[in-house]
Amino acid sequence: MASPCTSSICITTLLLVVVSWATSASARNFYQDFDVTWGDGRAQILNNGDLLTLSLDKASGSGFQSKNEYLFGKIDMQLKLVPGNSAGTVTAYYLSSNGSTWDEIDFEFLGNLSGDPYILHTNVFSQGKGNREQQFYLWFDPTADFHTYSILWNPQRIIFSVDGTPIREFKNAESMGVPFPKSQPMRIFSSLWNADDWATRGGLVKTDWTQAPFTASYRNFNADNACVWSSGSSSCASSSSSSSSDGNAWLSEELDSTSQEKLKWVQSNYMIYNYCTDAKRFPQGLPPECTMS
Ligand SMILES: *[C@@H]1O[C@H](CO)[C@@H](O)[C@H](O)[C@H]1NC(C)=O
Ligand SMILES: *[C@@H]1O[C@H](CO)[C@@H](O)[C@H](O)[C@H]1NC(C)=O
C-alpha cells in the first residue's frame, strides 16, 4: 500500500478537514455560543448542545445570553413556545446593548389560554428610547413545532422575519433625526418569565401554576452572517465563502418585491397593533419614521 504522504502530513490534512467542518454552519452548538445566565438549573443545554430549554415555575424563570457581541448581523433561531395554557408567561428573545442609552431589537411572545393565540410583540430601541411596538398574531400554532425567528440588522434597516416571511421593517431614519442602532454592539438574550400582571389580555388572565413548569425550546441558532465585536472592533467574517460570491451581501440587503408583498400580507392580515397608526398615543404627531413608506 503506497501512501502518497508522510503520516504527519496526512494527519495535518485530516485535522484541517475536521477543523473546517467543525467551524462550518452545521456544527454550531449552544455550549459554544451561549451562557446560561440565570434560573438555577431551569435552563438546560441538551443533546450535545443542539437543544436549549428554558423553564419557568412559581419560584423563578430562566435565561441565557450569547457569548459574542454583534454589531450588525443576520441572526436566526428556531423556537418552540410554551404549549397548552401559557397565559401569563412571556418568552423574550432579543438583541440588546447596555448602558443608559442602549439599543435593543425585541421579539416577545405573550402566552395565552390553550387554543387562544399568542401575541408576537416587537419593539426597537435606539439610544434608550423605545415606544415603537408592533404586535402580530401568527399564521400557525407556535407551540406545535419549531419555527425560525430572524433578525436582519444592517446599517440601513432592521427586518424581523418569521420562517423567512418578513413581518416588520424598521428603516434607518437618521436623515429625519431618528437615532438608529449602529454603533453599540449587542448580545443575544432570551428569557422565560412570569408577566401575568400585563401579558395576557392586559393582565386579566393569570398564570395557572398548576401547569408549571412551563418550557420553551430553542435550536438551530445561526449567526454565520454577523459581525462579531471583540476588543473594540468588529469583524464580519463570512462563513459562506463557498456558496456566495459576496458573503457580506446581507450588510446591504433590502426587501425585494416578493418579500415586500409578503410583508404587506402579514401586516394586513396579522398585525394587531402598530404604534405608527396610534394617533391618540402621539398627540403631538406620529414619530417621524412613521412617514417613511
Ligand atoms: C455590557 O457591559 C459589560 C460590562 O460592564 C460588558 O462586559 C459587556 O460586554 C457589555 N455589552 C453587552 C452587549 O452586554
Ligand atoms: C389571547 O386570546 C384572546 C382571545 O382570543 C385575544 O384577544 C388576545 O389577543 C390573545 N393574546 C394575548 C396575549 O392576550
Side-chain angles (χ1 to χ4, degrees):
M1 276 210 341
S3 169
C5 55
T6 70
S7 62
S8 76
I9 290 173
C10 288
I11 287 169
T12 306
T13 308
L14 184 64
L15 280 175
L16 282 174
V17 168
V18 169
V19 166
S20 63
W21 172 79
T23 54
S24 80
S26 54
R28 300 236 64 92
N29 79 66
F30 282 103
Y31 291 114
Q32 289 173 336
D33 295 318
F34 293 93
D35 289 316
V36 164
T37 42
W38 62 286
D40 202 17
R42 290 176 183 79
Q44 290 190 304
I45 298 178
L46 304 164
N47 302 357
N48 295 318
D50 286 344
L51 181 72
L52 186 153
T53 57
L54 290 184
S55 74
L56 162 71
D57 56 38
K58 201 164 187 178
S60 179
S62 51
F64 63 92
Q65 71 181 42
S66 61
K67 293 186 195 281
N68 284 333
E69 293 178 71
Y70 303 92
L71 186 62
F72 305 121
K74 193 170 184 177
I75 294 167
D76 304 327
M77 182 78 91
Q78 292 193 323
L79 277 76
K80 186 176 171 188
L81 300 172
V82 175
N85 180 358
S86 59
T89 72
V90 170
T91 306
Y93 170 69
Y94 59 103
L95 293 171
S96 184
S97 64
N98 54 20
S100 59
T101 55
W102 78 101
D103 297 330
E104 188 176 317
I105 304 171
D106 290 333
F107 277 118
E108 284 190 319
F109 301 89
L110 317 185
N112 216 335
L113 294 169
S114 298
D116 282 341
Y118 263 74
I119 289 177
L120 171 49
H121 173 100
T122 65
N123 205 353
V124 175
F125 285 71
S126 40
Q127 299 183 9
K129 187 184 160 297
N131 298 327
R132 300 195 179 100
E133 300 84 358
Q134 288 187 354
Q135 296 186 331
F136 305 85
Y137 287 143
L138 293 162
W139 49 94
F140 51 84
D141 174 1
T143 72
D145 210 340
F146 284 92
H147 290 270
T148 305
Y149 301 90
S150 309
I151 292 169
L152 168 67
W153 171 35
N154 68 30
Q156 298 83 35
R157 55 186 49 81
I158 294 163
I159 298 171
F160 296 77
S161 302
V162 176
D163 291 333
T165 296
I167 61 163
R168 174 172 189 178
E169 180 176 27
F170 181 79
K171 288 185 183 160
N172 184 326
E174 284 179 308
S175 64
M176 304 172 131
V178 179
F180 185 81
K182 61 160 203 212
S183 51
Q184 307 190 73
M186 303 205 239
R187 265 182 227 284
I188 302 164
F189 295 86
S190 190
S191 56
L192 173 57
W193 45 289
N194 177 42
D196 67 359
D197 52 338
W198 62 272
T200 307
R201 294 176 219 190
L204 289 176
V205 186
K206 300 298 171 191
T207 303
D208 177 1
W209 294 111
T210 67
Q211 305 299 306
F214 301 98
T215 303
S217 307
Y218 300 73
R219 69 177 191 196
N220 290 345
F221 168 65
N222 182 339
D224 290 344
N225 293 303
C227 306
V228 174
W229 181 264
S230 168
S231 42
S233 74
S234 156
S235 81
C236 309
S238 164
S239 68
S240 48
S241 41
S242 52
S243 55
S244 86
S245 51
D246 179 4
N248 283 333
W250 65 272
L251 265 168
S252 56
E253 186 173 332
E254 53 189 19
L255 293 174
D256 61 17
S257 57
T258 311
S259 299
Q260 283 179 19
E261 286 306 311
K262 291 184 182 175
L263 177 67
K264 273 190 210 144
W265 172 77
V266 173
Q267 297 199 334
S268 49
N269 293 289
Y270 295 96
M271 186 186 253
I272 53 173
Y273 179 78
N274 181 5
Y275 76 112
C276 277
T277 57
D278 194 350
K280 266 188 283 176
R281 187 175 165 193
F282 301 101
Q284 320 295 354
L286 293 172
E289 71 274 15
C290 294
T291 65
M292 293 177 93
S293 59

